[in-house]
Amino acid sequence: MELPDPEPTAHKQVVGVDVGMRYFAVASSTSNKTLFKSGKAPLRKAERYANARKSLQQKGTRSAVRRLVALSGRERRFIAETNHAIAAEILSRFPNAFIGVEELTGVRDRTERRSRKGSSEKTRKANRRRSRWSYAELLSFLAYKAPLRGSMVVKVDAHYTSQTCPRCGHCSRDNRPQKGLMFVCESCGYQLHADLVGSRNVGLRALVVRQDWAATGCLSCTPDVSDAETKAERLKRYSELRWSPDTSPRL
Ligand SMILES: [Zn+2]
């Protein structure tokens, strides 16, 4: 299908999408619209598939292997269908949007680091469950469907998106008391659902990408991670970002 090249002025809103386990996707726009897609039911179903797969693997008979192949196909299709549905819902809720998503390598690093330092059974279980879902697939569906809805997807740094206060910029691990559902800023007391904080920070960073695009006429769809200096510069700019409903840009 032939589609026109996107322009920085073509989008009516900037949206951030945060992916994770509790909610597969939390999307929020600069005009304060939000969408939460729970991962609870699909993860439970994926876990049932994984358990069935495990017991067939242990059996190891020829008929078990045959059933295993069929089951793996069903499992893959279930994950893909769910991801398609979530991507479609995000795009229909936020039409003509400039959408920021996290560069997923950062997220994976975080998980690995946590599992290396002799973590609890609970964390290991959470990591296993996390790896059972393909967030990369979800984001790639979102990216390829977006132009059909007049939208486009860019990747932004995921560093500290869950620890940075969108109101005052204070960044600390302790902004998440007991790693709970609530984000509570140590510095200014700002409180918000933790996953929504992540999504707002991703949205703010997408706004930076869009401003650069409008100013320079050239668009980078993925952050340049090769150069430490560029990265430090980018993180410094992010640390100056502030969320406020009244300073949302008029696009
Ligand atoms: Zn704060």
Side-chain angles (χ1 to χ4, degrees):
M1 200 183 295
E2 288 280 329
L3 290 165
D5 282 340
E7 297 279 336
T9 50
H11 306 104
K12 294 196 183 75
Q13 53 189 334
V14 174
V15 172
V17 176
D18 180 75
V19 297
M21 272 196 310
R22 251 185 321 247
Y23 292 94
F24 276 168
V26 176
S28 64
S29 74
T30 37
S31 52
N32 253 334
K33 237 180 6 176
T34 57
L35 174 69
F36 285 76
K37 293 304 293 175
S38 171
K40 213 169 162 188
L43 271 180
R44 212 180 295 133
K45 191 162 173 184
E47 198 151 7
R48 276 204 301 277
Y49 274 121
N51 289 339
R53 198 155 26 89
K54 215 171 174 183
S55 72
L56 285 174
Q57 264 159 357
Q58 275 159 0
K59 246 185 203 162
T61 62
R62 273 176 70 174
S63 80
V65 169
R66 246 192 336 263
R67 274 162 62 207
L68 187 65
V69 172
L71 186 78
S72 304
R74 277 212 301 280
E75 184 181 9
R76 252 198 328 275
R77 281 192 298 278
F78 164 68
I79 293 176
E81 274 163 21
T82 309
N83 281 338
H84 270 300
I86 295 172
E89 194 175 341
I90 293 172
L91 292 170
S92 75
R93 177 74 69 94
F94 303 98
N96 298 106
F98 189 77
I99 303 172
V101 301
E102 297 160 82
E103 172 74 53
L104 276 180
T105 48
V107 172
R108 208 173 303 125
D109 286 345
R110 214 155 60 206
T111 325
E112 277 165 13
R113 198 164 49 239
R114 222 190 293 152
S115 59
R116 257 205 303 275
K117 50 174 189 195
S119 54
S120 67
E121 169 65 15
K122 199 178 160 198
T123 321
R124 276 202 303 278
K125 218 168 173 182
N127 286 346
R128 258 203 315 276
R129 215 173 292 143
R130 179 195 269 273
S131 65
R132 211 162 278 152
W133 202 264
S134 179
Y135 301 100
E137 184 187 71
L138 169 60
L139 296 185
S140 78
F141 287 170
L142 193 63
Y144 92 70
K145 285 170 193 274
L148 304 171
R149 307 297 299 248
S151 299
M152 72 176 298
V153 168
V154 293
K155 288 183 180 172
V156 304
D157 257 314
H159 290 93
Y160 310 117
T161 45
S162 63
Q163 298 175 21
T164 307
C165 176
R167 190 165 79 181
C168 76
H170 177 67
C171 174
S172 161
R173 206 181 274 262
D174 298 326
N175 284 346
R176 291 281 299 279
Q178 287 101 46
K179 295 215 167 242
L181 264 180
M182 271 321 256
F183 176 98
V184 183
C185 178
E186 279 183 317
S187 172
C188 76
Y190 184 69
Q191 290 194 19
L192 197 69
H193 189 292
D195 294 328
L196 189 51
V197 166
S199 133
R200 281 197 175 162
N201 282 327
V202 170
L204 284 172
R205 292 174 184 196
L207 204 56
V208 172
V209 176
R210 188 179 170 280
Q211 277 165 355
D212 286 353
W213 183 22
T216 63
C218 92
L219 171 69
S220 90
C221 283
T222 43
D224 172 18
V225 289
S226 55
D227 180 14
E229 214 167 292
T230 323
K231 195 174 139 189
E233 179 67 26
R234 200 169 53 232
L235 287 176
K236 192 178 159 286
R237 283 183 71 192
Y238 290 161
S239 72
E240 288 155 6
L241 291 170
R242 301 288 180 269
W243 171 276
S244 153
D246 2 293
T247 53
S248 292
R250 280 173 215 92
L251 302 183

